Each structure stands twice: as structure tokens, then as C-alpha cells.
Amino acid sequence: MVTRQKNLDDIPEHEQNLIPIYGRDAMEKPVPKYELPEHSLDPDVAYNLIHDELMLDGNARLNLATFVTTWMEPQAQRLMAETFDKNMIDKDEYPFTAAIEERCINIVTRLFHAPETGVGASAIGSSEAVMLAGMALKWRWRDRMKKKGKPTDKPNLVMGNNVQVVWEKFARYWEVEPRYIEMEPNQYFITPKGVLDVVDENTIGVVPILGVTYTGAFEPVEAIHDALVEHNAKTGHDIPMHVDAASGGFVAPFLQPELKWDFRLPLVKSINVSGHKYGLVYPGVGWVAWRSHEDLPKDLVFHVNYLGGDMPTFTLNFSRPGNQVIAQYYNFIRLGREGYTRVFEQMRDTATYLSSAIEKMERFDLLSRGDTIPVFAFALKDSSKYTVYDLSDKLREHGWQVPAYTMPPKVDDLAVLRICVREGFSRDLADMLLKHLGDAIRHFEAQPSYAPKQPDKTGKVHRNC
Ligand SMILES: *Cc1c(COP(=O)(O)O)cnc(C)c1O
């Protein structure tokens, strides 16, 4: 043990902050981890300790697993930092933050061609938005059944087994039977026929996805809609639709404005979209939009007066940050239709450039190309010598996070890699990724006796982004 020239306690207080941060006593003591420490810590030391530990996390910009925004303009970051103290629920105290939220809801509902604009809510992400929309479907179905004098104890929800985990949660938490349509080899989305095979009068709604988590594909919303219109007319059912547009909702209006998937289709009663995915905002903001007031049951909306005023709210949370909503509004007015279009064109071009280059490597089958949303998945033609899990691990050595996972039940013998291109991912980075993928292939092909890595047997599926 080396003795110090001076103990920290002997140094006068006004001189203590002259000690270099990494020369301070606390830097050579263990950091409290699981119990509230008895004493306070110098803020510089606390900051650096935590900052340094987080260096061991992956680099968010190289995380090609996530759909969620990892880059925003410095002006947006400044605005967010200035508004960390705004609580979204305090609408009376922060009336301008509340007004901005309302403007965003108007912008979103208009973008989706709602006949009645402004019926919606902000949420912490699509997951909360889905819970709200799902409840509205269940309430509306119950009202319909009560009017007909029919039982209301067996609601079901029709969707593909490729849904994001939030729909499984919704079904379990709100006691709705999830009626999954299974995927078929080479067809990883639901079809009108698949839907018509399973709907009945207890179906609270049908949920197609605009941007399937596994592949980025758009499910055929309009074809499903038209089939359902016919089915309703024939049977007297009144089955509505909700579109899970978590990832596609902010892309389709700009890259495929003619594509009918939104409120232009009369049976589409509600839509969720993640502001923190292709709304291009840092996490946590999402939106839920209803077609009209009629589709949002009044008894789901609460009115509170203890913050002053009378405020209608439909949320699962009470307090939550207001700054993400403010950042969403920043993007709306900063980018406009022109800016969003430009950004998505760049992302689509980068994604399709990458997917074509990967196809040319002749080792992979593409499941999608990145031309709907800039997300695509690809599988190895031959997994006998090395697998997508090996390639994923090898890319990680360079910092890239490219997830390898199996497809949904019934087609889960297929394992794929998926790449989500986001704002901040340039052609230049794409070329480096391609080089590293090529190197990884050469690495494994140079070792004929290598034992390929197999999927995680716990059955853990990579669908949490
Ligand atoms: C990401 C995603 C969700 C969940 O959205 P969050 O905003 O992360 O809560 C739901 N559905 C689909 C299709 C998604 O891609």
C-alpha cells in the first residue's frame, strides 16, 4: 500500500475540486451497486463512473437490430434537454406542451386520412398505443353484442402469429382469445383467406401489420379490408380493423402515398404508430389514432380536475415526459413532407443497396429487400458449415449488432439475420458493414471442420424491437 502525501480530508474544501477527477479517493473504491450508499458522492466522480460503465453497452448507431431512433439533430437534442422538466399530464400547468401534443395528434390523424381529425392520444410507444386501441375494440364489440342481446364472454382478436409481443400481452392482460393465423413457408404475412377462415361474430377486430417485425413486409391491408367488407355484408357481422403501423405508419405516407392502408379504408377504425421508430424521435413516444369519436368509447376517457381545469385523458400512465412529444413536433415542422420523404428515400436506397449486395454474395436468400420500410431479412442458403448465429457473433467483433433469430412457430426452422436501416446510416457505413460480412463469410469458409453455432434452445425470439 502506497501512502499518499496528503489525505483528502487534510485538503481545504475550496481546493478539493482542483484534484483531478481520476485522482479522487472514490475512484479507487468499489462502486455501490445494489444498496443505497450511506454517503454522498462527488458529482464528477458519480458522472464518470456511470458514463464509463455505459461504454460497455453496444454503440446505438451500430445497433442494426432496432427500429428505434438513434440519431437526432443537435437542435432537437437541445430542445429535448430544455424540456426534461415538462410532465405531459400537467396540461393545465403546461398548456403549450398540451397544445403541441394536440397539434401532433391532428398532424398524425390527417396524415392517415381520418374523416374526423384530432381523435387520438400520445403514448409512451406503440405498446401503450396498442393497449388503448385494443381496449376500444373490446368495448365497442361488447356494446354491439349487448345491443343484440348476445353473450359477451368470449371475445377474440384475429392476427398473424408474426405479431409483435405486445399483441400477445394485450390478449392475456385483457382476457381476449388471441386467434393466430399461422405463417406458411415463403409467405410470412397474413392473407384475406387466412382471416376469413377464423373470424366470427366474437371477433373484436382484425389486426394487419404495416411493417412486420420479422421482415419489414407490409401485410395486404386493402385486400383484407375488402374481403372483410364482403364478409360483414354476407353475415351481418360488424368486424372492424386496427392497423399496427408501428414501423410503417410514418414511412408509407411518404414513399407510397397511393397505397391504401389507413382511414381511407372504412373498416379501419384505429391505427398505432411509433413516433420513436420512423417518426424519427428518440425513445419513448407513440401515437394512437381513431377514425372518429364514435370509435373511441366515452367511458374509456377519464376527466380529472385535480391539476386544475377539466382534462380528458386516455392513457395507462399518469406522469410521463413531455419532451418526446415536443421533439416529435420539432421533426414535423422542421422536416415537413419534403424532409420526411427525402430522409426515407435515402434510407430506402441504402437498404436496397445493401440487400442487393448481400444477394450478390450468393450465400443468402432474401426474405425482403427493404423497399417498404428500410428493413430486410435474409437467410443462409446452406447452414451446414456456419449459421446466421455465427455471422451475427462475428459482426459483433466490429461493433455491429445484427440480430439472428428464428421465424414464427411453424416456420421456425428458418433462421435469419435482419438489418434495420435508420436515419444516420450512410452508404459509407453500409459499405463497411458489407466488407465485414464478406470477411466473416471468408473466415468460416476457411475452416472446414468448424462446428456451426445453433439457435438458443430456450426458444427466446428476437422480436422485442
Ligand atoms: C415496435 C413494434 C411494436 C411495439 O412498439 P413500441 O413503440 O416499441 O412499443 C408493435 N408492433 C410492431 C409491428 C412493431 O414493429
Side-chain angles (χ1 to χ4, degrees), residues 60-117:
R61 297 279 298 281
L62 300 181
N63 174 7
L64 303 181
T66 186
F67 289 72
V68 175
T69 301
T70 49
W71 183 88
M72 286 189 81
E73 292 180 329
Q75 291 86 342
Q77 301 207 23
R78 197 189 321 148
L79 203 51
M80 288 184 85
E82 285 166 10
T83 49
F84 277 137
D85 54 356
K86 309 261 192 194
N87 187 350
M88 199 65 244
I89 198 73
D90 289 348
K91 296 185 201 279
D92 234 43
E93 286 70 14
Y94 308 121
F96 289 88
T97 302
I100 282 174
E101 179 191 31
E102 196 161 329
R103 286 179 223 162
C104 288
I105 293 168
N106 271 271
I107 290 170
V108 170
T109 51
R110 274 170 215 259
L111 196 64
F112 297 165
H113 304 93
E116 198 182 317
T117 59

Short mmCIF file of all heavy atoms in Angstrom, two decimals, residues 60-117:
data_model
loop_
_atom_site.label_atom_id
_atom_site.label_comp_id
_atom_site.label_asym_id
_atom_site.label_seq_id
_atom_site.Cartn_x
_atom_site.Cartn_y
_atom_site.Cartn_z
N ALA A 60 -25.14 2.50 -30.00
CA ALA A 60 -26.52 2.54 -30.52
C ALA A 60 -26.57 2.73 -32.03
O ALA A 60 -27.41 2.15 -32.72
CB ALA A 60 -27.30 3.65 -29.81
N ARG A 61 -25.67 3.51 -32.58
CA ARG A 61 -25.69 3.77 -34.03
C ARG A 61 -25.37 2.51 -34.83
O ARG A 61 -25.74 2.40 -35.99
CB ARG A 61 -24.69 4.87 -34.37
CG ARG A 61 -25.02 6.22 -33.73
CD ARG A 61 -26.08 6.97 -34.52
NE ARG A 61 -25.65 7.29 -35.86
CZ ARG A 61 -24.84 8.29 -36.19
NH1 ARG A 61 -24.36 9.08 -35.28
NH2 ARG A 61 -24.52 8.50 -37.45
N LEU A 62 -24.61 1.58 -34.22
CA LEU A 62 -24.26 0.34 -34.92
C LEU A 62 -25.24 -0.78 -34.62
O LEU A 62 -25.05 -1.92 -35.03
CB LEU A 62 -22.84 -0.10 -34.53
CG LEU A 62 -21.72 0.88 -34.85
CD1 LEU A 62 -20.37 0.30 -34.43
CD2 LEU A 62 -21.70 1.22 -36.33
N ASN A 63 -26.27 -0.44 -33.84
CA ASN A 63 -27.28 -1.43 -33.48
C ASN A 63 -28.30 -1.55 -34.61
O ASN A 63 -29.27 -0.81 -34.66
CB ASN A 63 -27.96 -0.99 -32.17
CG ASN A 63 -29.11 -1.90 -31.80
OD1 ASN A 63 -29.32 -2.93 -32.43
ND2 ASN A 63 -29.84 -1.51 -30.77
N LEU A 64 -28.06 -2.48 -35.50
CA LEU A 64 -28.96 -2.63 -36.66
C LEU A 64 -30.13 -3.54 -36.32
O LEU A 64 -30.92 -3.90 -37.18
CB LEU A 64 -28.18 -3.15 -37.86
CG LEU A 64 -26.99 -2.26 -38.26
CD1 LEU A 64 -26.28 -2.82 -39.47
CD2 LEU A 64 -27.44 -0.83 -38.53
N ALA A 65 -30.25 -3.91 -35.04
CA ALA A 65 -31.37 -4.73 -34.59
C ALA A 65 -32.61 -3.86 -34.35
O ALA A 65 -33.73 -4.34 -34.45
CB ALA A 65 -31.01 -5.44 -33.29
N THR A 66 -32.40 -2.62 -34.01
CA THR A 66 -33.54 -1.83 -33.55
C THR A 66 -34.17 -0.99 -34.65
O THR A 66 -33.49 -0.54 -35.57
CB THR A 66 -33.13 -0.92 -32.36
OG1 THR A 66 -34.31 -0.28 -31.86
CG2 THR A 66 -32.15 0.16 -32.79
N PHE A 67 -35.49 -0.79 -34.51
CA PHE A 67 -36.22 0.13 -35.38
C PHE A 67 -36.20 1.54 -34.77
O PHE A 67 -36.68 2.48 -35.38
CB PHE A 67 -37.70 -0.26 -35.46
CG PHE A 67 -38.01 -1.53 -36.21
CD1 PHE A 67 -37.70 -2.77 -35.70
CD2 PHE A 67 -38.67 -1.48 -37.43
CE1 PHE A 67 -38.02 -3.94 -36.38
CE2 PHE A 67 -39.00 -2.63 -38.12
CZ PHE A 67 -38.67 -3.86 -37.60
N VAL A 68 -35.71 1.63 -33.55
CA VAL A 68 -35.90 2.87 -32.78
C VAL A 68 -34.76 3.85 -33.03
O VAL A 68 -33.59 3.48 -33.16
CB VAL A 68 -36.06 2.52 -31.29
CG1 VAL A 68 -36.16 3.78 -30.45
CG2 VAL A 68 -37.31 1.67 -31.08
N THR A 69 -35.15 5.13 -33.09
CA THR A 69 -34.25 6.22 -33.46
C THR A 69 -33.01 6.31 -32.58
O THR A 69 -33.10 6.26 -31.36
CB THR A 69 -35.04 7.55 -33.39
OG1 THR A 69 -36.14 7.45 -34.29
CG2 THR A 69 -34.17 8.75 -33.76
N THR A 70 -31.86 6.46 -33.24
CA THR A 70 -30.60 6.59 -32.51
C THR A 70 -29.82 7.84 -32.93
O THR A 70 -28.67 8.01 -32.58
CB THR A 70 -29.71 5.35 -32.73
OG1 THR A 70 -29.65 5.07 -34.14
CG2 THR A 70 -30.27 4.14 -32.02
N TRP A 71 -30.44 8.68 -33.74
CA TRP A 71 -29.78 9.93 -34.13
C TRP A 71 -30.84 11.01 -34.32
O TRP A 71 -31.85 10.77 -34.99
CB TRP A 71 -29.01 9.76 -35.45
CG TRP A 71 -28.25 11.00 -35.84
CD1 TRP A 71 -26.98 11.33 -35.46
CD2 TRP A 71 -28.72 12.07 -36.66
NE1 TRP A 71 -26.63 12.55 -35.99
CE2 TRP A 71 -27.68 13.03 -36.74
CE3 TRP A 71 -29.92 12.34 -37.34
CZ2 TRP A 71 -27.80 14.23 -37.47
CZ3 TRP A 71 -30.03 13.54 -38.06
CH2 TRP A 71 -28.98 14.46 -38.12
N MET A 72 -30.61 12.16 -33.69
CA MET A 72 -31.46 13.33 -33.95
C MET A 72 -30.56 14.54 -34.11
O MET A 72 -29.42 14.56 -33.64
CB MET A 72 -32.46 13.57 -32.81
CG MET A 72 -33.61 12.59 -32.78
SD MET A 72 -34.89 13.06 -31.59
CE MET A 72 -35.81 14.28 -32.54
N GLU A 73 -31.10 15.56 -34.76
CA GLU A 73 -30.32 16.78 -34.96
C GLU A 73 -30.00 17.43 -33.62
O GLU A 73 -30.78 17.33 -32.67
CB GLU A 73 -31.13 17.76 -35.82
CG GLU A 73 -31.29 17.25 -37.24
CD GLU A 73 -32.08 18.20 -38.13
OE1 GLU A 73 -32.97 18.90 -37.63
OE2 GLU A 73 -31.80 18.23 -39.33
N PRO A 74 -28.85 18.14 -33.55
CA PRO A 74 -28.47 18.79 -32.29
C PRO A 74 -29.54 19.76 -31.79
O PRO A 74 -29.74 19.88 -30.57
CB PRO A 74 -27.17 19.51 -32.61
CG PRO A 74 -26.87 19.28 -34.04
CD PRO A 74 -27.83 18.28 -34.60
N GLN A 75 -30.24 20.41 -32.71
CA GLN A 75 -31.29 21.36 -32.28
C GLN A 75 -32.41 20.62 -31.55
O GLN A 75 -32.98 21.12 -30.59
CB GLN A 75 -31.87 22.11 -33.48
CG GLN A 75 -30.90 23.09 -34.13
CD GLN A 75 -29.99 22.43 -35.16
OE1 GLN A 75 -29.83 21.21 -35.20
NE2 GLN A 75 -29.37 23.25 -35.98
N ALA A 76 -32.72 19.42 -32.03
CA ALA A 76 -33.76 18.62 -31.38
C ALA A 76 -33.27 18.17 -30.00
O ALA A 76 -34.01 18.19 -29.03
CB ALA A 76 -34.10 17.41 -32.25
N GLN A 77 -32.00 17.80 -29.94
CA GLN A 77 -31.44 17.37 -28.65
C GLN A 77 -31.48 18.51 -27.64
O GLN A 77 -31.81 18.32 -26.48
CB GLN A 77 -29.99 16.94 -28.84
CG GLN A 77 -29.86 15.82 -29.84
CD GLN A 77 -28.62 14.97 -29.58
OE1 GLN A 77 -28.11 14.93 -28.48
NE2 GLN A 77 -28.16 14.28 -30.60
N ARG A 78 -31.16 19.72 -28.12
CA ARG A 78 -31.17 20.88 -27.22
C ARG A 78 -32.58 21.13 -26.69
O ARG A 78 -32.80 21.32 -25.51
CB ARG A 78 -30.64 22.12 -27.96
CG ARG A 78 -30.23 23.24 -27.03
CD ARG A 78 -29.91 24.55 -27.74
NE ARG A 78 -29.20 24.35 -29.00
CZ ARG A 78 -29.32 25.15 -30.06
NH1 ARG A 78 -30.12 26.19 -30.02
NH2 ARG A 78 -28.67 24.91 -31.17
N LEU A 79 -33.54 21.06 -27.62
CA LEU A 79 -34.93 21.29 -27.23
C LEU A 79 -35.38 20.23 -26.22
O LEU A 79 -36.07 20.54 -25.25
CB LEU A 79 -35.78 21.19 -28.51
CG LEU A 79 -37.12 21.87 -28.59
CD1 LEU A 79 -37.05 23.33 -28.19
CD2 LEU A 79 -37.62 21.76 -30.05
N MET A 80 -34.97 19.01 -26.43
CA MET A 80 -35.35 17.94 -25.50
C MET A 80 -34.72 18.17 -24.13
O MET A 80 -35.37 18.01 -23.10
CB MET A 80 -34.94 16.57 -26.05
CG MET A 80 -35.79 16.13 -27.23
SD MET A 80 -35.38 14.48 -27.81
CE MET A 80 -36.37 13.46 -26.72
N ALA A 81 -33.46 18.58 -24.12
CA ALA A 81 -32.78 18.83 -22.85
C ALA A 81 -33.44 20.00 -22.10
O ALA A 81 -33.57 19.98 -20.88
CB ALA A 81 -31.30 19.11 -23.08
N GLU A 82 -33.90 21.00 -22.87
CA GLU A 82 -34.54 22.16 -22.24
C GLU A 82 -35.90 21.81 -21.64
O GLU A 82 -36.44 22.56 -20.84
CB GLU A 82 -34.78 23.27 -23.30
CG GLU A 82 -33.54 24.01 -23.69
CD GLU A 82 -33.76 24.84 -24.97
OE1 GLU A 82 -34.92 24.98 -25.42
OE2 GLU A 82 -32.75 25.35 -25.49
N THR A 83 -36.48 20.69 -22.07
CA THR A 83 -37.85 20.39 -21.66
C THR A 83 -37.96 19.08 -20.87
O THR A 83 -39.04 18.50 -20.77
CB THR A 83 -38.77 20.33 -22.90
OG1 THR A 83 -38.18 19.50 -23.90
CG2 THR A 83 -38.97 21.71 -23.50
N PHE A 84 -36.82 18.66 -20.29
CA PHE A 84 -36.85 17.45 -19.44
C PHE A 84 -37.83 17.59 -18.28
O PHE A 84 -38.30 16.61 -17.73
CB PHE A 84 -35.46 17.19 -18.85
CG PHE A 84 -34.55 16.44 -19.76
CD1 PHE A 84 -33.22 16.83 -19.90
CD2 PHE A 84 -35.00 15.35 -20.48
CE1 PHE A 84 -32.36 16.14 -20.74
CE2 PHE A 84 -34.14 14.65 -21.32
CZ PHE A 84 -32.82 15.06 -21.45
N ASP A 85 -38.10 18.84 -17.88
CA ASP A 85 -38.91 19.06 -16.68
C ASP A 85 -40.41 19.13 -16.97
O ASP A 85 -41.20 19.33 -16.06
CB ASP A 85 -38.45 20.35 -15.97
CG ASP A 85 -38.44 21.56 -16.91
OD1 ASP A 85 -38.72 21.38 -18.12
OD2 ASP A 85 -38.15 22.66 -16.43
N LYS A 86 -40.81 18.95 -18.21
CA LYS A 86 -42.25 19.05 -18.51
C LYS A 86 -42.91 17.70 -18.33
O LYS A 86 -42.51 16.71 -18.95
CB LYS A 86 -42.45 19.46 -19.97
CG LYS A 86 -41.67 20.68 -20.37
CD LYS A 86 -42.53 21.90 -20.33
CE LYS A 86 -41.80 23.04 -21.02
NZ LYS A 86 -42.43 24.31 -20.74
N ASN A 87 -43.96 17.69 -17.53
CA ASN A 87 -44.74 16.48 -17.33
C ASN A 87 -45.95 16.55 -18.27
O ASN A 87 -46.76 17.47 -18.19
CB ASN A 87 -45.19 16.40 -15.87
CG ASN A 87 -45.87 15.08 -15.55
OD1 ASN A 87 -46.19 14.29 -16.44
ND2 ASN A 87 -46.09 14.85 -14.26
N MET A 88 -46.05 15.55 -19.13
CA MET A 88 -47.10 15.57 -20.16
C MET A 88 -48.51 15.66 -19.56
O MET A 88 -49.42 16.22 -20.17
CB MET A 88 -46.97 14.29 -21.01
CG MET A 88 -47.65 14.33 -22.35
SD MET A 88 -46.94 15.54 -23.47
CE MET A 88 -48.31 16.64 -23.67
N ILE A 89 -48.68 15.09 -18.35
CA ILE A 89 -50.03 15.04 -17.78
C ILE A 89 -50.48 16.40 -17.22
O ILE A 89 -51.67 16.66 -17.10
CB ILE A 89 -50.13 13.94 -16.69
CG1 ILE A 89 -51.58 13.55 -16.39
CG2 ILE A 89 -49.43 14.37 -15.41
CD1 ILE A 89 -52.24 12.74 -17.48
N ASP A 90 -49.52 17.27 -16.92
CA ASP A 90 -49.87 18.56 -16.32
C ASP A 90 -50.33 19.55 -17.38
O ASP A 90 -49.70 20.57 -17.63
CB ASP A 90 -48.67 19.14 -15.56
CG ASP A 90 -48.35 18.36 -14.30
OD1 ASP A 90 -49.18 17.53 -13.90
OD2 ASP A 90 -47.28 18.60 -13.73
N LYS A 91 -51.45 19.23 -17.97
CA LYS A 91 -51.87 20.01 -19.13
C LYS A 91 -52.28 21.44 -18.77
O LYS A 91 -52.17 22.35 -19.59
CB LYS A 91 -52.98 19.28 -19.88
CG LYS A 91 -52.48 17.96 -20.44
CD LYS A 91 -53.50 17.26 -21.30
CE LYS A 91 -53.20 15.79 -21.42
NZ LYS A 91 -52.21 15.40 -22.39
N ASP A 92 -52.75 21.61 -17.55
CA ASP A 92 -53.12 22.95 -17.12
C ASP A 92 -51.90 23.81 -16.83
O ASP A 92 -51.90 25.01 -17.04
CB ASP A 92 -54.00 22.87 -15.88
CG ASP A 92 -55.30 23.62 -16.08
OD1 ASP A 92 -55.87 23.47 -17.19
OD2 ASP A 92 -55.71 24.35 -15.16
N GLU A 93 -50.85 23.16 -16.32
CA GLU A 93 -49.63 23.88 -15.96
C GLU A 93 -48.78 24.17 -17.20
O GLU A 93 -48.08 25.17 -17.27
CB GLU A 93 -48.81 23.06 -14.96
CG GLU A 93 -49.37 23.05 -13.55
CD GLU A 93 -50.65 22.25 -13.41
OE1 GLU A 93 -50.98 21.47 -14.33
OE2 GLU A 93 -51.33 22.40 -12.38
N TYR A 94 -48.82 23.25 -18.15
CA TYR A 94 -48.01 23.41 -19.36
C TYR A 94 -48.93 23.41 -20.58
O TYR A 94 -48.90 22.49 -21.41
CB TYR A 94 -46.97 22.28 -19.47
CG TYR A 94 -46.14 22.10 -18.23
CD1 TYR A 94 -46.12 20.88 -17.55
CD2 TYR A 94 -45.38 23.16 -17.71
CE1 TYR A 94 -45.37 20.72 -16.40
CE2 TYR A 94 -44.62 23.00 -16.56
CZ TYR A 94 -44.62 21.78 -15.91
OH TYR A 94 -43.89 21.62 -14.77
N PRO A 95 -49.78 24.44 -20.68
CA PRO A 95 -50.79 24.43 -21.74
C PRO A 95 -50.19 24.42 -23.14
O PRO A 95 -50.81 23.92 -24.08
CB PRO A 95 -51.60 25.71 -21.49
CG PRO A 95 -50.72 26.57 -20.66
CD PRO A 95 -49.86 25.66 -19.85
N PHE A 96 -48.96 24.92 -23.28
CA PHE A 96 -48.39 24.95 -24.63
C PHE A 96 -47.82 23.59 -25.02
O PHE A 96 -47.86 23.21 -26.18
CB PHE A 96 -47.37 26.08 -24.76
CG PHE A 96 -48.07 27.41 -24.77
CD1 PHE A 96 -48.35 28.07 -23.58
CD2 PHE A 96 -48.54 27.94 -25.96
CE1 PHE A 96 -49.07 29.26 -23.59
CE2 PHE A 96 -49.25 29.14 -25.97
CZ PHE A 96 -49.52 29.79 -24.78
N THR A 97 -47.33 22.85 -24.02
CA THR A 97 -46.91 21.47 -24.29
C THR A 97 -48.16 20.67 -24.67
O THR A 97 -48.14 19.88 -25.63
CB THR A 97 -46.23 20.87 -23.05
OG1 THR A 97 -45.12 21.70 -22.70
CG2 THR A 97 -45.73 19.47 -23.30
N ALA A 98 -49.25 20.91 -23.94
CA ALA A 98 -50.50 20.21 -24.27
C ALA A 98 -50.99 20.58 -25.67
O ALA A 98 -51.46 19.73 -26.42
CB ALA A 98 -51.57 20.55 -23.22
N ALA A 99 -50.83 21.86 -26.02
CA ALA A 99 -51.27 22.29 -27.37
C ALA A 99 -50.42 21.62 -28.44
O ALA A 99 -50.92 21.24 -29.49
CB ALA A 99 -51.17 23.82 -27.47
N ILE A 100 -49.13 21.47 -28.15
CA ILE A 100 -48.24 20.82 -29.12
C ILE A 100 -48.64 19.36 -29.31
O ILE A 100 -48.66 18.84 -30.42
CB ILE A 100 -46.76 20.99 -28.66
CG1 ILE A 100 -46.31 22.41 -29.01
CG2 ILE A 100 -45.85 19.93 -29.28
CD1 ILE A 100 -44.93 22.79 -28.50
N GLU A 101 -49.00 18.72 -28.20
CA GLU A 101 -49.46 17.32 -28.30
C GLU A 101 -50.70 17.25 -29.21
O GLU A 101 -50.80 16.42 -30.10
CB GLU A 101 -49.80 16.78 -26.91
CG GLU A 101 -50.31 15.35 -26.93
CD GLU A 101 -50.91 14.90 -25.60
OE1 GLU A 101 -51.46 15.77 -24.87
OE2 GLU A 101 -50.80 13.71 -25.27
N GLU A 102 -51.62 18.19 -28.97
CA GLU A 102 -52.85 18.17 -29.76
C GLU A 102 -52.57 18.44 -31.25
O GLU A 102 -53.19 17.84 -32.12
CB GLU A 102 -53.81 19.23 -29.20
CG GLU A 102 -55.20 19.02 -29.70
CD GLU A 102 -56.22 19.74 -28.83
OE1 GLU A 102 -55.96 19.88 -27.61
OE2 GLU A 102 -57.24 20.16 -29.38
N ARG A 103 -51.61 19.33 -31.50
CA ARG A 103 -51.26 19.59 -32.91
C ARG A 103 -50.68 18.33 -33.54
O ARG A 103 -51.00 18.00 -34.68
CB ARG A 103 -50.22 20.71 -33.00
CG ARG A 103 -50.79 22.08 -32.72
CD ARG A 103 -49.68 23.11 -32.80
NE ARG A 103 -49.79 24.05 -31.71
CZ ARG A 103 -48.81 24.85 -31.30
NH1 ARG A 103 -47.62 24.80 -31.88
NH2 ARG A 103 -49.00 25.69 -30.32
N CYS A 104 -49.84 17.63 -32.77
CA CYS A 104 -49.25 16.38 -33.31
C CYS A 104 -50.35 15.37 -33.63
O CYS A 104 -50.30 14.70 -34.67
CB CYS A 104 -48.27 15.76 -32.31
SG CYS A 104 -46.73 16.67 -32.14
N ILE A 105 -51.34 15.26 -32.74
CA ILE A 105 -52.43 14.31 -32.98
C ILE A 105 -53.18 14.69 -34.26
O ILE A 105 -53.55 13.84 -35.07
CB ILE A 105 -53.38 14.24 -31.76
CG1 ILE A 105 -52.63 13.63 -30.55
CG2 ILE A 105 -54.64 13.42 -32.08
CD1 ILE A 105 -53.36 13.77 -29.22
N ASN A 106 -53.37 15.99 -34.45
CA ASN A 106 -54.01 16.44 -35.69
C ASN A 106 -53.18 16.10 -36.92
O ASN A 106 -53.70 15.63 -37.93
CB ASN A 106 -54.28 17.95 -35.64
CG ASN A 106 -55.63 18.23 -35.02
OD1 ASN A 106 -56.64 18.28 -35.73
ND2 ASN A 106 -55.67 18.38 -33.71
N ILE A 107 -51.88 16.32 -36.80
CA ILE A 107 -51.00 16.04 -37.94
C ILE A 107 -51.05 14.54 -38.27
O ILE A 107 -51.19 14.15 -39.43
CB ILE A 107 -49.55 16.49 -37.62
CG1 ILE A 107 -49.49 18.03 -37.60
CG2 ILE A 107 -48.55 15.91 -38.63
CD1 ILE A 107 -48.19 18.62 -37.06
N VAL A 108 -50.98 13.70 -37.22
CA VAL A 108 -50.97 12.25 -37.44
C VAL A 108 -52.30 11.78 -38.03
O VAL A 108 -52.33 11.03 -39.01
CB VAL A 108 -50.65 11.50 -36.12
CG1 VAL A 108 -50.88 10.00 -36.27
CG2 VAL A 108 -49.21 11.77 -35.68
N THR A 109 -53.42 12.24 -37.48
CA THR A 109 -54.71 11.77 -37.98
C THR A 109 -54.96 12.25 -39.43
O THR A 109 -55.53 11.54 -40.23
CB THR A 109 -55.89 12.19 -37.07
OG1 THR A 109 -55.80 13.59 -36.81
CG2 THR A 109 -55.86 11.44 -35.75
N ARG A 110 -54.48 13.44 -39.74
CA ARG A 110 -54.61 13.91 -41.13
C ARG A 110 -53.71 13.11 -42.06
O ARG A 110 -54.09 12.80 -43.19
CB ARG A 110 -54.21 15.39 -41.23
CG ARG A 110 -55.34 16.33 -40.95
CD ARG A 110 -54.81 17.75 -40.84
NE ARG A 110 -55.58 18.45 -39.83
CZ ARG A 110 -56.55 19.30 -40.12
NH1 ARG A 110 -56.83 19.58 -41.37
NH2 ARG A 110 -57.23 19.87 -39.15
N LEU A 111 -52.50 12.81 -41.59
CA LEU A 111 -51.57 12.01 -42.40
C LEU A 111 -52.21 10.67 -42.76
O LEU A 111 -51.97 10.12 -43.82
CB LEU A 111 -50.29 11.79 -41.58
CG LEU A 111 -49.04 11.32 -42.30
CD1 LEU A 111 -48.55 12.35 -43.31
CD2 LEU A 111 -47.92 11.04 -41.28
N PHE A 112 -53.04 10.15 -41.83
CA PHE A 112 -53.68 8.85 -42.05
C PHE A 112 -55.09 9.00 -42.65
O PHE A 112 -55.87 8.06 -42.64
CB PHE A 112 -53.77 8.07 -40.73
CG PHE A 112 -52.43 7.72 -40.11
CD1 PHE A 112 -52.33 7.30 -38.79
CD2 PHE A 112 -51.26 7.79 -40.85
CE1 PHE A 112 -51.11 6.96 -38.23
CE2 PHE A 112 -50.02 7.46 -40.29
CZ PHE A 112 -49.95 7.05 -38.97
N HIS A 113 -55.42 10.22 -43.11
CA HIS A 113 -56.70 10.46 -43.79
C HIS A 113 -57.92 10.16 -42.95
O HIS A 113 -58.89 9.58 -43.44
CB HIS A 113 -56.78 9.64 -45.09
CG HIS A 113 -55.65 9.91 -46.04
ND1 HIS A 113 -54.50 9.17 -46.07
CD2 HIS A 113 -55.49 10.86 -46.99
CE1 HIS A 113 -53.67 9.64 -46.99
NE2 HIS A 113 -54.25 10.67 -47.57
N ALA A 114 -57.89 10.53 -41.67
CA ALA A 114 -59.07 10.32 -40.83
C ALA A 114 -60.17 11.28 -41.25
O ALA A 114 -59.91 12.47 -41.47
CB ALA A 114 -58.72 10.55 -39.36
N PRO A 115 -61.41 10.78 -41.38
CA PRO A 115 -62.51 11.68 -41.75
C PRO A 115 -62.75 12.73 -40.67
O PRO A 115 -63.16 13.85 -40.98
CB PRO A 115 -63.71 10.74 -41.90
CG PRO A 115 -63.31 9.43 -41.33
CD PRO A 115 -61.82 9.38 -41.28
N GLU A 116 -62.49 12.36 -39.41
CA GLU A 116 -62.62 13.34 -38.33
C GLU A 116 -61.23 13.48 -37.72
O GLU A 116 -60.68 12.49 -37.22
CB GLU A 116 -63.59 12.77 -37.28
CG GLU A 116 -64.16 13.78 -36.33
CD GLU A 116 -65.08 13.09 -35.32
OE1 GLU A 116 -65.88 12.22 -35.71
OE2 GLU A 116 -64.95 13.41 -34.13
N THR A 117 -60.64 14.67 -37.78
CA THR A 117 -59.25 14.77 -37.33
C THR A 117 -59.17 15.04 -35.83
O THR A 117 -60.11 15.52 -35.22
CB THR A 117 -58.50 15.89 -38.07
OG1 THR A 117 -59.18 17.10 -37.84
CG2 THR A 117 -58.41 15.61 -39.55
#
